[in-house]
Amino acid sequence: MDEMKLNIGKIVNAEQIAADFSVGYSDDDIILVTNAKLLAEPNPVRLQMNAVVLCTQGRAQMNLNGKATIITIGQMLVCPPNTSLTDFMLSPDFEFKAIFVSGRMLQSFLRERMRIWTENFYVQKKHIVTIDEEDTNLLSSFYDTLYIFLYCKKERRVKGEVLRSFLRGAFLCLCEHLENINADGDNQEKRQPTNILFQQFLDLLGGTPVKHRPVEWYASELCITPKYLSAVCKSCSGKTANEWIREHVLEDIRYCLKSTDLSIKQVSTKLGFPNTSFFGKYVKEHFGMTPFQLRQNNV
């Protein structure tokens, strides 16, 4: 597999094929996509990077973590890592422009404003951001200008730095837009601002293949006590560390049972359960049905 395909593998789960993407730029932390055949296929997508997709024409419908979601012109689809996208239906005129960035790069872009991103897309679970025609045209033009720069014939040693500067500006504008929207809301929950430790926990949780672990394991990885980790999670999000872990585990279960060909035993092993009996009880407790029933049902 060549370097481009290795980079593309960071967008989706490793089983998916890099050739499905039409890529304009790719490095270890940033990938720009102008067209993806994969989105027109029934195969599920499992994101491993932060994704921002701007719809410039037409509309698309999909299931996002099992929930029906529609994006149309003037809207952005924003997804953190560990998001599952399935069951795509695209209008014939659908066009989009997408940016994928690693968590490390996103934090370097946003710095103290990372709390805005986390609050909106992790805690509140917003996935669709609506922008007006002027901002849509502006962002689309920005993207096109970036491509012109990347593919100019002159060799530019500062290409990577300029690319990151352009993208940082775009992400800062998005955060400003989110701040304005939130300021206009009348029913925002009063919580402590998202802090670095909470974001580190979310990054660790999202990047850990086996998420079905006790709070103590995550706390140990972060060099803090379990009690302090849960207190931080509660103050920043209104949910405990256990609730965050369970939420991610359940999404992994849903994805593996409904979007892969792995046997129930293989899913149980892959997700870190000691045996299929324990796995079956866990699924029954949280989904109200057996693993086989969950695989067969549209939930």
Side-chain angles (χ1 to χ4, degrees):
M1 184 175 288
D2 59 29
E3 182 64 25
M4 181 65 78
K5 290 184 179 180
L6 285 172
N7 284 332
I8 294 304
K10 295 181 180 180
I11 293 181
V12 296
N13 57 305
E15 292 81 6
Q16 292 170 332
I17 301 172
D20 285 332
F21 287 87
S22 174
V23 179
Y25 176 86
S26 173
D27 64 27
D28 286 341
D29 293 301
I30 300 170
I31 298 172
L32 306 181
V33 177
T34 52
N35 184 37
K37 299 174 185 177
L38 186 63
L39 291 180
E41 300 294 333
N43 300 323
V45 175
R46 191 67 179 276
L47 298 174
Q48 294 183 355
M49 300 178 81
N50 295 278
V52 178
V53 181
L54 173 66
C55 177
T56 57
Q57 187 171 307
R59 58 182 274 148
Q61 180 174 324
M62 69 212 74
N63 282 341
L64 191 156
N65 291 341
K67 181 179 179 181
T69 304
I70 297 174
I71 178 175
T72 187
I73 186 169
Q75 292 182 324
M76 288 184 290
L77 176 69
V78 184
C79 303
N82 214 43
T83 300
S84 299
L85 301 172
T86 61
D87 302 324
F88 296 98
M89 291 190 294
L90 312 179
S91 66
D93 60 341
F94 178 63
E95 293 182 6
F96 72 97
K97 296 171 181 178
I99 300 171
F100 299 87
V101 297
S102 68
R104 174 180 62 184
M105 185 56 61
L106 186 62
Q107 289 187 49
S108 75
F109 286 162
L110 299 181
R111 300 171 188 169
E112 70 278 0
R113 294 180 179 85
M114 189 69 197
R115 60 179 176 77
I116 302 170
W117 185 275
T118 302
E119 173 66 24
N120 281 272
F121 303 121
Y122 283 88
V123 179
Q124 296 186 31
K125 299 188 184 303
K126 291 180 182 176
H127 293 293
I128 301 296
V129 178
T130 301
I131 55 178
D132 59 29
E133 183 179 358
E134 181 178 356
D135 282 342
T136 300
N137 292 335
L138 178 64
L139 289 174
S140 184
S141 298
F142 156 81
Y143 201 94
D144 293 338
T145 302
L146 191 56
Y147 264 79
I148 293 172
F149 171 77
L150 288 172
Y151 287 97
C152 65
K153 293 181 179 180
K154 291 182 179 180
E155 287 293 327
R156 300 185 186 274
R157 294 188 299 273
V158 297
K159 181 176 288 188
E161 294 178 54
V162 173
L163 171 67
R164 284 161 176 74
S165 296
F166 265 79
L167 292 179
R168 181 168 187 264
F171 278 94
L172 288 175
C173 287
L174 175 54
C175 282
E176 180 185 52
H177 179 71
L178 292 170
E179 278 189 302
N180 292 336
I181 293 175
N182 293 339
D184 292 337
D186 295 326
N187 56 353
Q188 292 294 315
E189 274 191 65
K190 299 300 181 183
R191 288 190 288 262
Q192 293 296 317
T194 300
N195 65 22
I196 294 175
L197 182 58
F198 179 55
Q199 185 61 51
Q200 289 174 336
F201 168 67
L202 293 179
D203 290 341
L204 175 62
L205 181 58
T208 301
V210 177
K211 300 176 178 60
H212 184 59
R213 301 176 186 269
V215 175
E216 288 78 7
W217 184 88
Y218 291 95
S220 176
E221 291 293 305
L222 296 170
C223 300
I224 58 174
T225 66
K227 183 177 180 180
Y228 184 56
L229 175 57
S230 283
V232 168
C233 291
K234 189 71 174 179
S235 67
C236 292
S237 68
K239 294 192 292 189
T240 65
N242 256 325
E243 289 174 314
W244 277 104
I245 295 167
R246 181 170 60 250
E247 183 177 293
H248 278 66
V249 171
L250 294 179
E251 185 50 45
D252 277 358
I253 291 173
R254 184 198 303 274
Y255 174 79
C256 288
L257 287 177
K258 302 185 73 64
S259 301
T260 76
D261 294 326
L262 296 174
S263 68
I264 291 174
K265 182 178 180 180
Q266 288 173 320
V267 172
S268 173
T269 301
K270 178 183 175 71
L271 299 185
F273 287 84
N275 52 61
T276 53
S277 176
F278 185 86
F279 177 67
K281 291 178 181 177
Y282 188 91
V283 174
K284 180 74 173 179
E285 177 184 354
H286 294 288
F287 288 97
M289 60 187 76
T290 67
F292 178 78
Q293 290 171 329
L294 177 60
R295 172 162 271 171
Q296 298 299 314
N297 279 270
N298 294 321
V299 295

